[in-house]
Amino acid sequence: MARKPKIVIVGGGTSGLAAAYTLRSKYGSKLEVVVLEAADRAGGRIAGEEIGGFSIHTGASVFHESFETVQDLAESLGVPLKMSPRKKGGHIYRDGKLWGIYSNGSLKQMMTTVQTILSFRLLTPKAMWQSMRFFGMLKARGNDIDFQDHSRMLDLDTPESFAEFMKANSLVEYLEQTGEVDINCFTAGCSEEVGAALGMAMLWLWTLNQSERSCLPGKGVGEFADALVGACAEDTRLGTPVQRVVVEEGCVKGVMAGNVGNGDGFVEADAVICAAPATKALEIIPDLPPEARRILSRVTYSSCINMAIGLDANILPEGSHAAVFPPESGTFLTNVSNLASMAPQAAPEGKSLVYALVIGEHARELFALSDDEIAGRIIEEISKYLPTMPEKPLFARVYRWPEALCLAPGGMLKEIYEMRQQKLVDLEGLFLAGDYMRMPSCNGALLSGVDAAGECASFVSRDTV
């Protein structure tokens, strides 16, 4: 009997699992697939966890209805996605107070929104005019801002940062008053770190385009992650870091993997899908051609802490799914959100599941502390702004992300796209996957894994698959 081609996938995160699931579901009987994950659990930045009846997401919190790959995989995994409610609201902290903004809410909530707008706590008249101009700019390109195929918006990926783009287009007041905190929440980075194209895409997707909504499983993103992890469990080896992708004469031979002393070592492979972050890919693939290495070295990531808190009651104002804190608020918090308002099944009946997000330098400073110390600091900080926050919640779980989301600095999207089109990686049997390979997002990470799986299967087929 002929030997099955063997494919090794480096990384059991979002893109690695998407690649493994695609290979298994389409070519399972004809291929041997092995996923090597350094951590003690798979799932990466979409991983889920169950705590006392609460369904936790450790990183990504929501999907968007335009995410075609997410939709396809969710359907295949048997995980229904539900649209977010049209009636929703949030609060922004300004001038020592949380100000409400509601969409299609009650009369009281509508009056609250009017008060926020008329008192200029959301936008000044100048910033409001700028927001309308910016909306018009993005609406004109709305069909091009596509997280499934971003090739039509590559002309927007100039070398400048999003902050520089907004300044050049006289949109600074809008950026400072609301745009910046939106970028903070969506990327865990800031407008100086994010490229112009990614900044525009994120604001159009999540804030300005009201014709489409976010969506997520009934128990939250963790439900999707659990299903994907479970579907790939048979092929996944946890606690198995990869030190190097072995290349001989321009052709991949396998990987050096495992911990010293565990009896691991060389793992032979007919092809390798590297689904690790770009920084790790540079480390474990020393044979990358110089131009590909230069392009990957441009990829940068944000840092954040995502903390899940189980509570007996909701601490946010009624009808509000989040409270956001602009950079000038004087707190290290970026936002505090209530997942149960978006995914009621994520928390037991009558309970609440709250998340706190800390980004950038504030997060990196907290990394030095223990989880208990971080939880104590964050809970104390939340109570300053949301007084009903209990000192001792049902639980508090800290998730550290030194490399949280790809920030796509100016020009990176275009260079990565050209690298893919021109096949600059140029190592036979090596395929790259990760959010940096597409428009950075959960959808981009999953799409890159699905595409890498297809390319890899074609490569190893040799009339076999």
Side-chain angles (χ1 to χ4, degrees):
M1 182 180 292
R3 180 181 69 86
K4 293 181 180 180
K6 183 175 183 178
I7 298 173
V8 168
I9 300 173
V10 181
T14 311
S15 54
L17 292 176
Y21 180 73
T22 301
L23 290 168
R24 259 299 160 213
S25 59
K26 291 187 176 181
Y27 315 102
S29 62
K30 299 178 181 180
L31 295 173
E32 179 182 357
V33 178
V34 178
V35 181
L36 304 180
E37 168 56 44
D40 58 4
R41 67 179 177 188
R45 288 168 285 182
I46 63 166
E49 186 175 6
E50 287 284 334
I51 304 176
F54 290 83
S55 181
I56 311 299
H57 63 257
T58 64
S61 61
V62 71
F63 298 138
H64 194 268
E65 68 171 312
S66 67
F67 287 179
E68 294 180 21
T69 301
V70 170
Q71 299 273 1
D72 291 344
L73 287 174
E75 182 178 0
S76 179
L77 290 165
V79 180
L81 300 179
K82 299 181 180 180
M83 294 300 107
S84 64
R86 291 287 185 188
K87 293 182 179 181
K88 57 183 179 179
H91 283 71
I92 186 167
Y93 186 81
R94 188 153 288 152
D95 299 331
K97 179 181 175 181
L98 285 169
W99 297 84
I101 301 290
Y102 297 90
S103 174
N104 301 318
S106 66
L107 177 60
K108 180 180 178 181
Q109 291 169 338
M110 291 172 61
M111 294 302 295
T112 298
T113 302
V114 170
Q115 181 185 9
T116 299
I117 293 173
L118 293 180
S119 61
F120 308 131
R121 305 302 181 183
L122 181 64
L123 291 169
T124 63
K126 185 176 182 180
M128 194 172 297
W129 167 242
Q130 291 180 6
S131 72
M132 290 189 287
R133 284 182 46 235
F134 186 53
F135 173 81
M137 292 169 59
L138 296 187
K139 186 177 181 180
R141 296 296 302 267
N143 291 332
D144 299 332
I145 302 176
D146 186 348
F147 277 67
Q148 194 70 20
D149 177 10
H150 65 285
S151 61
R152 298 187 305 278
M153 62 174 294
L154 288 176
D155 63 297
L156 300 175
D157 188 34
T158 60
E160 61 190 344
S161 69
F162 185 56
E164 291 169 334
F165 168 83
M166 298 299 272
K167 182 177 181 179
N169 286 275
S170 302
L171 299 167
V172 172
E173 283 79 2
Y174 162 73
L175 176 64
E176 291 177 344
Q177 291 177 36
T178 62
E180 184 67 46
V181 71
D182 286 338
I183 292 294
N184 297 163
C185 293
F186 303 148
T187 70
C190 65
S191 60
E192 288 84 4
E193 299 172 303
V194 171
L198 181 60
M200 285 185 271
M202 284 294 184
L203 288 177
W204 178 248
L205 184 78
W206 295 113
T207 302
L208 298 173
N209 182 12
Q210 296 296 315
S211 64
E212 295 180 327
R213 290 181 285 169
S214 58
C215 62
L216 66 171
K219 291 185 176 181
V221 170
E223 183 180 353
F224 174 89
D226 290 344
L228 186 57
V229 169
C232 302
E234 184 179 339
D235 302 322
T236 305
R237 288 169 53 182
L238 301 175
T240 310
V242 170
Q243 285 86 32
R244 181 164 59 91
V245 175
V246 179
V247 177
E248 295 179 4
E249 298 181 351
C251 182
V252 166
K253 298 299 182 182
V255 300
M256 293 299 299
N259 294 297
V260 176
N262 283 358
D264 298 311
F266 178 67
V267 180
E268 185 179 5
D270 295 283
V272 170
I273 297 176
C274 183
T279 49
K280 186 66 176 179
L282 288 169
E283 177 186 331
I284 66 175
I285 315 174
D287 298 281
L288 273 175
E291 183 62 8
R293 178 168 290 275
R294 181 194 69 77
I295 294 172
L296 262 61
S297 68
R298 295 204 60 231
V299 180
T300 58
Y301 294 89
S302 58
S303 299
C304 75
I305 287 174
N306 189 39
M307 190 171 94
I309 310 167
L311 298 170
D312 283 316
N314 181 29
I315 60 172
L316 288 166
E318 182 182 356
S320 176
H321 71 273
V324 299
F325 300 88
E328 70 276 6
S329 298
T331 176
F332 61 74
L333 297 171
T334 296
N335 75 25
V336 178
S337 60
N338 177 17
L339 178 63
S341 68
M342 302 283 285
Q345 298 174 43
E349 187 174 355
K351 307 296 183 182
S352 185
L353 180 55
V354 166
Y355 283 85
L357 177 67
V358 181
I359 71 170
E361 190 59 39
H362 295 304
R364 289 187 285 271
E365 289 174 359
L366 291 176
F367 285 160
L369 305 179
S370 69
D371 283 0
D372 287 344
E373 290 172 323
I374 292 173
R377 290 276 300 276
I378 291 178
I379 289 170
E380 180 182 7
E381 193 70 8
I382 292 174
S383 66
K384 295 177 183 177
Y385 305 94
L386 299 165
T388 57
M389 176 70 199
E391 184 178 347
K392 294 184 178 180
L394 299 175
F395 67 83
R397 189 62 58 91
V398 173
Y399 302 103
R400 305 160 184 253
W401 296 108
E403 291 184 324
L405 298 166
C406 177
L407 295 175
M412 190 211 85
L413 293 175
K414 188 180 296 184
E415 287 197 289
I416 291 288
Y417 181 83
E418 292 172 352
M419 180 185 79
R420 288 171 45 216
Q421 299 305 305
Q422 298 173 22
K423 302 186 185 302
L424 296 180
V425 174
D426 195 28
L427 291 175
E428 189 175 353
L430 176 67
F431 303 88
L432 301 180
D435 61 348
Y436 68 94
M437 293 292 288
R438 298 296 190 275
M439 176 63 78
S441 61
C442 290
N443 194 76
L446 292 166
L447 176 61
S448 75
V450 171
D451 285 350
E455 295 167 1
C456 188
S458 295
F459 171 77
V460 301
S461 63
R462 314 286 174 94
D463 300 323
T464 301
V465 176

